[in-house]
Amino acid sequence: MSTCEQDDQRNPLLEKVAMIETLKQIDNILIVVSGKGGVGKSTVAVNLALSLSLKGFRTGILDVDIHGPSVPKLLNLNGKIPEVKNEEIIPLVYPPDLRVMSMGFLLQGTDQAVIWRGPLKYNMIKDFIANVKWGKLDYLVVDCPPGTGDEPLSVSQFLKEKAHAVIVTTPQHVATIDVAKCITFCRHLDLPMAGIIENMSGFVCPHCGKTVDIFSKGGGELLATEYNVPFLGSIPLDPDIAKSGDEEQPYVHYYPQTATAKVFEEIVAKIAKIRTEDRKDPEKTELTPPVSKNDRGKIAVPTADRKLCAHFGHCEAFAIFETGDNGTILNETYVNPPPHEPGLLPEWLSGQGVTCVLAGGMGSRAKELFAAKGVHVVTGAQGENPRSIVEDYLKGALETGANTCDH
Ligand code: ADP
């Protein structure tokens, strides 16, 4: 086991310049996320990156899964160590031209556990982006650890101006509930979503080659429709994918003629159409659609005198509405928050089962804390009556303006 101590004579200005210079060279970033581990996120990230590279796009893959980096093994690069020249790390290359960087390269052995505190993770991820000599890239694919913790948060904050999230799920219901949290996370951070991929969707029989649906299928597509996110495709549970992972022979390179490889190709074709410059300006949004029409959960509105209070952190009470199917309100209660303490409200509201907050204004720290808890936040809500605000939100008719706080 190794622990990593802070060095550290960091110069924030130089770091910022290095980050800006690096980002200038990268056209599109795909941040691959999943709500759960074991859904095939790394497998998908590696095969997407390799497909893009084999199509001739200049592509890099960055593995920021500090606790379980699997990209080196999937690309048969275990045990290799990247060179450092002029204080820049030179990424390894999977032939012919996929540039690869992973925490795994910096660990002595694959069985070492690493203990990192939040700020160290943050700095390490920054270094991996800014101080790696990626060169000019059409695509940088980033493989994040599962969930909505420190790593996806840091990566999204640094890279969102050029990034789209690719969300990987499996068909089973539990996994799709977790992925809903990923969608909420992306929306919070204004990270646009390229779409959802359903992995392990149906089983490719090794005898007859036909696909059999052994788990309930279609959860990913259903989720995509419900949340108004593009659906990118379904990759079957294919024994050759598992074998290719075990044998360190990336699937799309070693099995290019199969039906499953064609699915990867179709997904890559859809992704290749998404361009950073096509992105909509989130400031121009006037109506805020609900995160899901069938959002069964609790929506909280900060209030004073039973009216919307723009002052989220110091409101008198939260109106909490329990919602049912099709945008119905099942009940309404008013709850007094605990005495003010920075960062406490996201923890407290999420402990009350709140899944969404409609606020006039909110600071960025509180938004991040809510995002990490999977709680959706809408700021700039207009109106006075909390119930009407929630009803409008559930109808997709809530008007929002600037994120203002009167504190
Ligand atoms: P994650 O990154 O989500 O933890 P991995 O990519 O490491 O998941 O995949 C977990 C396991 O599932 C690996 O053994 C991998 O080979 C296997 N796997 C992933 N996708 C498929 C698939 N479509 N068919 C068969 N096995 C798969």
Side-chain angles (χ1 to χ4, degrees):
M1 190 177 281
S2 55
T3 48
C4 304
E5 295 302 325
Q6 182 65 284
D7 22 20
D8 206 8
Q9 309 280 310
R10 308 179 75 95
N11 179 331
L13 188 63
L14 286 181
E15 282 179 356
K16 200 165 178 183
V17 170
M19 178 71 85
I20 292 169
E21 287 306 311
T22 305
L23 285 182
K24 265 195 214 158
Q25 305 240 62
I26 304 174
D27 285 347
N28 296 284
I29 297 169
L30 300 166
I31 302 178
V32 184
V33 294
S34 68
K36 269 175 96 78
V39 300
K41 176 188 47 56
S42 297
T43 305
V44 168
V46 160
N47 283 288
L48 282 185
L50 192 53
S51 298
L52 286 161
S53 172
L54 293 173
K55 276 183 169 305
F57 292 111
R58 288 164 301 189
T59 308
I61 180 162
L62 169 64
D63 173 10
V64 294
D65 193 341
I66 295 164
H67 302 290
S70 47
V71 167
K73 177 169 160 48
L74 289 169
L75 287 169
N76 195 17
L77 292 170
N78 252 348
K80 302 249 162 66
I81 297 173
E83 248 185 281
V84 178
K85 265 192 207 158
N86 301 331
E87 299 190 2
E88 275 187 316
I89 309 170
I90 314 294
L92 291 171
V93 171
Y94 180 88
D97 188 33
L98 176 62
R99 298 159 219 187
V100 190
M101 191 60 218
S102 165
M103 180 63 206
F105 298 142
L106 307 187
L107 294 174
Q108 299 286 309
T110 46
D111 55 352
Q112 285 200 49
V114 183
I115 302 169
W116 295 81
R117 283 178 282 114
L120 285 176
K121 284 188 195 174
Y122 181 85
N123 284 335
M124 193 284 294
I125 292 171
K126 242 175 22 183
D127 286 347
F128 265 13
I129 296 161
N131 298 331
V132 171
K133 198 171 169 51
W134 293 104
K136 248 196 123 13
L137 289 182
D138 297 307
Y139 288 96
L140 176 67
V141 176
V142 184
D143 182 19
C144 284
T148 50
D150 288 338
E151 296 90 334
L153 188 63
S154 305
V155 167
S156 308
Q157 282 166 338
F158 300 144
L159 304 180
K160 68 181 178 186
E161 74 186 77
K162 294 208 169 170
H164 284 84
V166 173
I167 298 170
V168 181
T169 184
T170 57
Q172 295 94 319
H173 182 61
V174 182
T176 57
I177 289 171
D178 282 326
V179 90
K181 282 193 188 160
C182 280
I183 296 174
T184 303
F185 176 82
C186 295
R187 292 216 161 123
H188 257 303
L189 296 174
D190 290 328
L191 174 65
M193 287 166 269
I196 293 175
I197 295 175
E198 183 171 308
N199 187 32
M200 308 190 190
S201 176
F203 174 65
V204 177
C205 171
H207 305 295
C208 67
K210 287 202 178 129
T211 303
V212 189
D213 296 337
I214 50 173
F215 298 122
S216 62
K217 205 184 154 188
E221 191 158 13
L222 215 71
L223 199 80
T225 314
E226 194 179 314
Y227 284 80
N228 197 20
V229 176
F231 185 65
L232 294 170
S234 306
I235 301 165
L237 185 68
D238 186 332
D240 284 338
I241 294 189
K243 193 168 148 228
S244 74
D246 290 343
E247 294 179 354
E248 307 187 12
Q249 298 182 332
Y251 184 79
V252 292
H253 202 183
Y254 282 83
Y255 299 81
Q257 303 303 336
T258 57
T260 305
K262 295 276 172 299
V263 175
F264 272 111
E265 237 174 62
E266 284 162 21
I267 291 173
V268 165
K270 284 185 193 165
I271 286 178
K273 284 191 191 142
I274 302 164
R275 293 267 153 203
T276 306
E277 57 265 29
D278 298 339
R279 181 166 314 163
K280 291 196 191 101
D281 179 357
E283 294 299 316
K284 290 193 183 134
T285 309
E286 282 161 8
L287 293 180
T288 305
V291 65
S292 162
K293 278 198 206 91
N294 292 326
D295 209 6
R296 283 165 152 272
K298 287 187 182 170
I299 300 179
V301 181
T303 64
D305 288 335
R306 305 246 154 169
K307 289 182 192 150
L308 172 71
C309 159
H311 190 171
F312 165 79
H314 293 257
C315 70
E316 278 172 22
F318 281 93
I320 297 184
F321 298 83
E322 202 173 324
T323 59
D325 284 340
N326 300 320
T328 49
I329 293 177
L330 303 176
N331 72 52
E332 171 182 349
T333 46
Y334 280 77
V335 187
N336 292 330
H340 181 72
E341 200 182 301
L344 181 67
L345 284 178
E347 181 76 38
W348 177 74
L349 282 166
S350 129
Q352 305 282 315
V354 166
T355 49
C356 173
V357 177
L358 307 178
M362 188 186 294
S364 58
R365 181 71 191 130
K367 279 181 111 179
E368 282 168 20
L369 290 171
F370 276 122
K373 296 249 161 236
V375 177
H376 182 62
V377 171
V378 174
T379 52
Q382 314 276 301
E384 285 197 338
N385 182 324
R387 192 179 184 98
S388 313
I389 289 170
V390 171
E391 282 168 349
D392 283 349
Y393 169 72
L394 291 168
K395 281 188 284 192
L398 177 65
E399 286 190 31
T400 53
N403 177 3
T404 49
C405 180
D406 63 7
H407 180 45

